[in-house]
Amino acid sequence: MRLHEYQAKQVFADAGIPTPSSEVVETADAAREAAERIGGTVAVKAQVHVGGRGKAGGIELADDADEAHEAAEGILGMDLKGKHVEKVLVEEAVDFVDELYVGVTTDRGEGRAVAMVSSEGGVNIEEVAEENPDAIARTHVDPAYDLRPFEAREVVYGANVDRETARDVTGVLSTLYELWDERDADDAEINPLMVTEDGGVVAADAVFNIDDSALYRQEELAEMEDEAFEDDFEARASDAGFDYVRLDGNVGIIGNGAGLVMTTLDLVDHFGGSPANFLDIGGGADAERVQAALELVFEYENVDSVLFNVFGGITRCDEVAQGINDALEAFDELPEPLVVRLTGTNEEEGRELLTDRVETAEGLEEAVKRTVELSGGDGE
Amino acid sequence: MRLHEYQAKQVFADAGIPTPSSEVVETADAAREAAERIGGTVAVKAQVHVGGRGKAGGIELADDADEAHEAAEGILGMDLKGKHVEKVLVEEAVDFVDELYVGVTTDRGEGRAVAMVSSEGGVNIEEVAEENPDAIARTHVDPAYDLRPFEAREVVYGANVDRETARDVTGVLSTLYELWDERDADDAEINPLMVTEDGGVVAADAVFNIDDSALYRQEELAEMEDEAFEDDFEARASDAGFDYVRLDGNVGIIGNGAGLVMTTLDLVDHFGGSPANFLDIGGGADAERVQAALELVFEYENVDSVLFNVFGGITRCDEVAQGINDALEAFDELPEPLVVRLTGTNEEEGRELLTDRVETAEGLEEAVKRTVELSGGDGE
Amino acid sequence: MSVLVGDETRLVVQGITGSEGKFHAERMQEYGTNVVAGVTPGRGGDEVLGVPVYDTVKEAVREEDANASAVFVPPAFAGDAVMESLDADIELCVAITEGIPTHDMVRVNRRLDEVDTRLVGPNCPGVITPGEAKIGIMPGNIFDSGNVGLVSRSGTLTYQLVDSLGRRGVGQSTVIGIGGDPIIGTSFIDSVRAFENDEDTDVIALVGEIGGSDEERAAEWIDENVTKPVVGFIAGRTAPPGKRMGHAGAIVSGSGTGTAESKMEALRDAGVRVAETPAGVADEIDDLL
Amino acid sequence: MSVLVGDETRLVVQGITGSEGKFHAERMQEYGTNVVAGVTPGRGGDEVLGVPVYDTVKEAVREEDANASAVFVPPAFAGDAVMESLDADIELCVAITEGIPTHDMVRVNRRLDEVDTRLVGPNCPGVITPGEAKIGIMPGNIFDSGNVGLVSRSGTLTYQLVDSLGRRGVGQSTVIGIGGDPIIGTSFIDSVRAFENDEDTDVIALVGEIGGSDEERAAEWIDENVTKPVVGFIAGRTAPPGKRMGHAGAIVSGSGTGTAESKMEALRDAGVRVAETPAGVADEIDDLL
């Protein structure tokens, strides 16, 4: 789960990291009022999960409340790299003399956290890592000891942070690690951490991604989850317990198992179609789950055809077919054509059970080609 | 720092460990009222730091409020193994079917915590350890991972705790470890942990000793410190930054360095005297500290003579002598004779500086003998 | 010879009294795996499926000489269950559970450095040596004994490939599902090394997916160490960056690391035959045999 | 030859800009110790007592080839300072600081298992090889070069004994103050082993005190391994149970473990000559030489 900037900043501020004063609003009028309360120059920032918001026009500076109103009017409702902007953060503009990057993320390869500081803040840190790796100081954190103060210092002094700022940056890095550790974070990053004229620091942006598997023990963060979803479909899929990702194409895809569904998407693309979604229905395929999956996929207006691709293993294909049949009873008429492909244990019994409300296919490639055809593609 | 039972129980209860309802009181009348509020049979328990309170008459059961009044009257003000009882805990008497020991303590030899459960609760656990070591299950806790749930279970099942009680006991053990870990405890123990008829558990006693060196980061516990002192002398010594222990004899002892002071006590005993205290004045010996130390030692009514025994190392003996001379100016008359023995760097210069308000001695044995003589002993 | 599991396996099933654990313990018994014990805290002394249940893994090791474990414990407790196997000197621990918090796996991963246990998974279908034994949840009936060593991050995609191989009459020496989580025990390299050293394996199939760089590292290792032919497949070529594709580990970072392209290129550079479709994988393997 | 410190010592002083650190760094320089650097975070680039100050120990090791460290850092930060030395591959770390929380030392102690550094202390006067070098706070002037290897949990009691020896014309090969805390790095056994192997040491003096069982363990080890004569002394015979006698580690438990009697008996059983008074220690040693 990825928190919005304003949510992440609240968590960081509660942990003692200095953040600019700010308010999150959903209308231009509210943005004006917020700007008045904050006073001075403010930044108006789109609250959507995309990188490079600034370059894409999602961040504007406003010298007064009227300008803030105008900026919010422009940003609210805009489509930013495919994301609809529903909220903006109105935030005190900070005078700064330097920008740093400070972050703690999970390094999958090492299986532990990596704590990083770079003197080149305010730009894409992964680009810095590629182009000027020496500009980033880092240490992998041994979970047996957590981030020890001397390690935080080694990173901060290793990044050549100024002497008068080093102590504050060390504090911020240690706090980010604690947040990573205690809140089950994947990433806890500040970019840029602004250095002010007096040597102090302020978090001008905030990234806080939480491990979905750990939300059950992160109540406070889990409560922020609904607000963090930017897509109603994804929110509903999450409630239903599906792994779901919405895409731009028109071929709806339901399957069991992440690898098989990903492969199905790839094949749709391979045969000239365009996937409308990823939906992993998970283990089992009873009528209720099948029905919920079909409703979710059909409801997306892009969809022109749907492929239901299941490998029957421990759950036999005839059981899955029964689940599909039962689920189809909930539909008077299928909104778009549905192709079902069952392989694995008892696949023939399964295919025989299926009614002619659906098309069936034996091979995976064959099923994909047919679904692509039905979507208007050529299936080759 | 050792918390009183009632303080420890509060901490344990706050952490979720079941404890009986109770109130701590300082008068028999208050004990009566507390017993009325609690209802039913209550235990009236002396709040002093001695083992075997029960056998020594420091714990009485009372069937009603009048009996509680009577019991409190008997216990309050009594001398329990040399400790004056100023508070009693009036506590709901718990019906139990079994008594366990559950504890987490620091094992110095291993340099880590040891978590223990024994089915033989309610008796001295160190005696159990000697006489029937198999009755105690234990595990050393690797600080890299803290007490993992499976380790807690191994200990609990290893102690043959009943199936229906095991989960609760595992929870209590895990909580005690967390308290040990988070509160800088030396020991966190419950003996007995009573098992009730329905298989639940209740902490009938509570021991919680905190590392003195860590009190600076344990604010909540540090606030309990004043109440935890049972000796006004020890409280004052702690404020002055001395290591001080009050003893029963009549030879006051002040020195620098724990080992040297302990050795001085041993020599006093060796030469037929009886030490009145241990006082390590620590590094440096300026007038202010010397004066505070002398006042503390003289004030104890037992004291008949005092030995001031300092090894001058980095701090030279002449500097120490000057500190002593300056300190003595605060005394019109010394209440009891004072013997000063200075050895080490510049010892002769030091001894020459001292005035005849004090006796001086060159050798350690000679100084001890003389002080013992002055206390009325024979010094042999 | 076989990789990881076989006749010498003496399995303890952690969570054997749960519905999943019991169901799959029975399937494993049917397949021929020697299940010697189960563990469920508080159920010690019971008997399930003809094997004794213990409160702790150490007891199962002490009493039944268990040398392997399968973890069917809910995600909140599964990290600890794995730790328990590690501390009980289990040789092979297969963690089936999906959804173990990453931070729990960070601790497990640290502990793995200190012990001799091999961990497979978590969030994996397990390990099977067709015709001998399986530890996991794979449908045993779809596998055939043969000479292809297959390692995969995915469950049903593996079954799909095994099915495709089966239709061509090609069997497997051992199939290892290493799991779809970001932090796992046995890696591609570990698995490929085992296959390289396994005399029953003639062709190695490596089935990866987007996210992380385990495939890239494996490619480098293969280039330097592997003599047997390797066929590769990567799922997720069409996955958008920043989106988790079902598996917790299947995510291309916002900046574009962990892409299918990067992995396919690395594998090809290492001399691996990379197929574009599951059928293509089976064809390549068929071609090599 | 000498034990632990000598001409090859290249010392970094952690906390060199503090008053204690600076004072004793200068005393060590005067005594002949090769102080090559200091460390104080935020003071990197400064110079103190003619040596460069660095922000981190790793820098001091990299730039000045430091191989030993002395920790003069306030107790709240000293555990971390020791950790820093451990992670910087320092060979010998001497922690002077008194009052490090026990739990910080539990972590340090765990880390010590994983690294090659020898830790002396904390809460100790340090290590001195008279006439060569010292790391610590001992008054150098009271020591004389000789052939007694002395190890002690106490500071001023050590000085008292050294003074007593000096008055009899007896010098020391090396004196090790292992510290008065409950959890320390170098133990009596470690020290006695070093003296047993040190050709400059003819007699070993072991000065213990109440609390813990390090003396008892050392006695057992001496019985089995030591060929040189050992003289022992235990402070705290009159200490009441349950009371901390100055040192955090000097406490007889409520149930009576860690008593002076137990330690004296164990040492005597191991053939150690146990004296009742400091003068008695000096007499025994004098007698042996």
Side-chain angles (χ1 to χ4, degrees), chain C residues 114-200:
Chain C
E114 302 178 316
V115 297
D116 295 325
T117 306
R118 163 169 301 287
L119 171 67
V120 172
N123 188 14
C124 79
V127 181
I128 185 167
T129 292
E132 273 196 61
K134 72 164 184 168
I135 303 178
I137 59 173
M138 301 83 71
N141 58 302
I142 66 167
F143 294 84
D144 292 308
S145 186
N147 55 356
V148 175
L150 194 157
V151 53
S152 169
R153 277 167 71 183
S154 166
T156 47
L157 175 57
T158 303
Y159 309 159
Q160 169 71 40
L161 289 165
V162 165
D163 186 72
S164 301
L165 289 173
R167 286 168 204 262
R168 285 161 180 79
V170 176
Q172 304 83 43
S173 54
T174 293
V175 176
I176 309 175
I178 58 174
D181 270 3
I183 300 178
I184 53 177
T186 295
S187 66
F188 277 123
I189 292 180
D190 299 327
S191 307
V192 171
R193 181 190 288 117
F195 288 135
E196 171 72 10
N197 296 332
D198 174 33
E199 58 188 25
D200 290 343

Side-chain angles (χ1 to χ4, degrees), chain A residues 72-240:
Chain A
E73 215 159 32
I75 294 173
L76 282 165
M78 82 187 288
D79 238 44
L80 211 63
K81 299 187 177 177
K83 301 286 184 182
H84 187 76
V85 181
E86 293 183 354
K87 296 190 181 78
V88 292
L89 186 67
V90 181
E91 181 175 86
E92 172 194 9
V94 177
D95 282 335
F96 62 93
V97 296
D98 203 0
E99 294 180 298
L100 307 174
Y101 164 89
V102 183
V104 176
T105 74
T106 309
D107 182 328
R108 294 170 58 153
E110 296 289 327
R112 47 182 67 178
V114 57
M116 295 180 284
V117 173
S118 173
S119 53
E120 296 193 14
V123 295
N124 184 326
I125 193 66
E126 277 148 337
E127 280 171 21
V128 176
E130 276 197 11
E131 288 159 23
N132 188 10
D134 287 348
I136 305 176
R138 73 189 82 202
T139 192
H140 282 96
V141 183
D142 185 340
Y145 306 102
D146 294 317
L147 181 67
R148 289 167 290 178
F150 80 84
E151 293 176 303
R153 291 195 302 266
E154 283 173 355
V155 173
V156 170
Y157 289 110
N160 294 314
V161 173
D162 286 344
R163 187 186 275 198
E164 58 268 31
T165 310
R167 186 186 290 254
D168 281 358
V169 179
T170 306
V172 169
L173 183 63
S174 299
T175 303
L176 288 183
Y177 176 78
E178 278 166 31
L179 288 169
W180 179 90
D181 185 44
E182 291 169 7
R183 305 300 186 92
D184 278 301
D186 290 327
D187 314 286
E189 298 177 283
I190 299 173
N191 189 19
L193 181 74
M194 287 177 172
V195 180
T196 56
E197 197 137 15
D198 61 359
V201 296
V202 181
D205 195 2
V207 170
F208 201 40
N209 299 335
I210 310 303
D211 176 14
D212 291 311
S213 296
L215 282 177
Y216 75 88
R217 63 186 179 196
Q218 296 293 344
E219 280 181 40
E220 192 197 342
L221 298 172
E223 281 171 19
M224 299 182 181
E225 192 176 19
D226 276 349
E227 268 189 82
F229 278 115
E230 289 178 338
D231 186 316
D232 193 40
F233 284 92
E234 293 184 3
R236 280 172 50 202
S238 170
D239 286 344

Side-chain angles (χ1 to χ4, degrees), chain A residues 326-337:
Chain A
D326 293 348
L328 290 180
E329 284 177 19
F331 294 87
D332 288 336
E333 196 180 346
L334 285 179
E336 307 290 348

Side-chain angles (χ1 to χ4, degrees), chain D residues 27-43:
Chain D
R27 297 291 87 70
M28 289 190 273
Q29 285 179 327
E30 288 167 3
Y31 199 73
T33 309
N34 186 11
V35 178
V36 298
V39 164
T40 299
R43 296 289 297 272

